[in-house]
Amino acid sequence: MKYILVLLGLLVMTNAAHAQTEPFNTPTSIKRDGVTLTLAQEREAEEIGNKLRCLVCQNETVENSQAGLAKQFRGIIRRHLARGENARQIVDFMVQRYGIFILMKPPLMRVTWLLWASPALASLAGLFAVVLIRRRRQKPPPPLSPQEASRLQELLKP
Amino acid sequence: MASVLTRRLLLATPLTIVVLGGLGFYALLGRMQTGSYDPHAFANPLVGKAPPAFSLPGTAGQQGFSSTDLAAAGKPILVNFFASWCIPCVQEAPMLDQLSKSGLVIWGIAYQDKSDATAKFLADNGNPFQRLASDLDGRTAINWGVYGVPESFLINTKGVIIWHYAGALNDDVVTSGLLPALKHAS
């Protein structure tokens, strides 16, 4: 019973302490991957991390991956943001080291135009095939020969 | 007659494409098994350039090195990123030993590894490194575009990276990649 009372007391005290330090429960800064950022900076960091590929788990973004390398990348993004760099500079930093493969969405450039054009090319090829097949099918049947015509007349007679 | 031909063509074309595609995939799977094709690999943009500036302390009782040491060496150097906790690094250790015994200069960078762990790894698997630096926080590795260990970079006599491989070096990679690159290293 004594212990329960002590525990209860502690609980009340910690709650009170909590309420004092965070009166409205709205933190203005957040510490992640070893770097403290403002909320706006953290949002930007997450946006950058969502655009970059984790090179260990290659279909995951840097922001989502549990790999050690992704954690390091998140640290780099946040340290560079805290240093005052913008998103463009940070993405360039990563591309210089790992190439455009690190971008989840590849930029349109000479080596990627075929990749970007492939949906349109595939649709065109499909359209072409459909047109070709339709044209072949729509060939009108040859006209009836005189014998066939007279036979038809006979059959249609009531 | 013509319609029979086109009908055959219509049947044969997709069939041929499927068969060719299947053969291609079969070849890829075969090359994945031998290790000469890695679907996770991508070209490191550093090839053709000098390594980024860095200076790392030695580890496991050996001398560290910097980018200026690499540029001033005047001979081809294989820079190998490895770690004692990495299993493919154990697998490639005999190959590195063989290369080092045949006269290739190999400088190692221990990636996120503590000095005594590195020392134990070298005692267990042999030490092919003439110099050995420690990249404890892994930031130098990131500047080199390293995304895992082991990774190897061949640097020519002018201090430019001319060849790179991500993964454990094996016979296939050495004979088809490293040795031809080494011929053009000076």
Side-chain angles (χ1 to χ4, degrees):
Chain A
M1 190 62 200
K2 219 181 197 175
Y3 288 115
I4 291 171
L5 275 178
V6 170
L7 272 176
L8 264 177
L10 278 173
L11 206 67
V12 169
M13 272 159 67
T14 50
N15 267 350
H18 215 70
Q20 262 178 359
T21 50
E22 287 179 5
F24 303 110
N25 198 24
T26 49
T28 53
S29 71
I30 184 163
K31 187 171 177 177
R32 231 188 120 196
D33 299 300
V35 188
T36 309
L37 296 178
T38 66
L39 287 186
Q41 280 176 320
E42 170 62 22
R43 261 195 293 279
E44 196 176 0
E46 282 168 20
E47 210 171 287
I48 297 167
N50 278 328
K51 284 184 195 156
L52 300 178
R53 183 189 305 281
C54 167
L55 299 164
V56 180
C57 321
Q58 294 189 344
N59 277 342
E60 284 189 303
T61 65
V62 163
E63 202 54 41
N64 289 338
S65 177
Q66 295 290 314
L69 187 75
K71 188 178 164 65
Q72 270 191 311
F73 282 1
R74 289 196 293 269
I76 288 174
I77 292 169
R78 283 163 178 78
R79 274 194 300 276
H80 284 224
L81 273 176
R83 220 183 281 162
E85 287 185 21
N86 63 29
R88 181 66 198 243
Q89 285 168 308
I90 294 167
V91 170
D92 283 352
F93 175 93
M94 300 307 284
V95 170
Q96 270 162 23
R97 279 153 185 78
Y98 293 96
I100 58 162
F101 184 65
I102 200 166
L103 302 171
M104 291 301 278
K105 186 174 164 186
L108 184 58
M109 53 195 280
R110 206 190 300 161
V111 292
T112 58
W113 73 265
L114 193 61
L115 179 70
W116 278 97
S118 55
L121 289 178
S123 312
L124 275 179
L127 203 71
F128 185 68
V130 166
V131 166
L132 217 68
I133 289 165
R134 282 231 162 159
R135 220 183 248 180
R136 190 159 298 157
R137 275 198 194 146
Q138 277 169 357
K139 248 185 214 163
L144 297 180
S145 64
Q147 289 98 329
E148 285 168 334
S150 59
R151 173 95 179 110
L152 184 65
Q153 287 302 317
E154 236 168 75
L155 284 173
L156 286 177
K157 255 179 206 160
Chain B
M1 194 62 202
S3 80
V4 173
L5 259 181
T6 45
R7 207 171 275 182
R8 279 196 184 154
L9 200 70
L10 273 176
L11 193 75
T13 313
L15 208 67
T16 318
I17 292 173
V18 168
V19 167
L20 284 179
L23 285 175
F25 275 118
Y26 188 75
L28 272 186
L29 285 175
R31 286 181 56 207
M32 267 170 76
Q33 214 119 53
T34 59
S36 64
Y37 170 69
D38 176 13
H40 285 232
F42 55 93
N44 188 308
L46 216 52
V47 174
K49 295 182 189 139
F54 71 93
S55 177
L56 291 173
T59 182
Q62 275 186 265
Q63 193 185 358
F65 58 95
S66 67
S67 43
T68 42
D69 293 334
L70 272 177
K75 54 195 165 190
I77 296 177
L78 188 74
V79 175
N80 180 255
F81 286 83
F82 75 102
S84 67
W85 43 263
C86 136
I87 292 160
C89 300
V90 177
Q91 288 166 349
E92 80 165 353
M95 178 51 81
L96 285 180
D97 235 30
Q98 199 182 317
L99 287 170
S100 145
K101 284 192 179 116
S102 69
L104 180 64
V105 178
I106 307 177
W107 290 5
I109 297 181
Y111 173 74
Q112 297 196 320
D113 209 7
K114 293 200 176 91
S115 181
D116 43 351
T118 309
K120 187 178 180 309
F121 176 85
L122 297 179
D124 291 347
N125 300 289
N127 182 1
F129 305 115
Q130 294 197 359
R131 288 210 196 184
L132 187 54
S134 165
D135 182 19
L136 202 56
D137 61 16
R139 287 188 203 163
T140 299
I142 286 176
N143 284 338
W144 284 62
V146 167
Y147 67 100
V149 271
E151 283 199 32
S152 302
F153 297 80
L154 183 65
I155 294 166
N156 71 7
T157 49
K158 295 186 189 93
V160 174
I161 296 171
I162 54 168
W163 180 81
H164 161 255
Y165 184 73
L169 295 178
N170 55 32
D171 283 326
D172 232 29
V173 173
V174 168
T175 49
S176 67
L178 178 61
L179 295 181
L182 206 50
K183 278 189 189 143
H184 303 111
S186 45

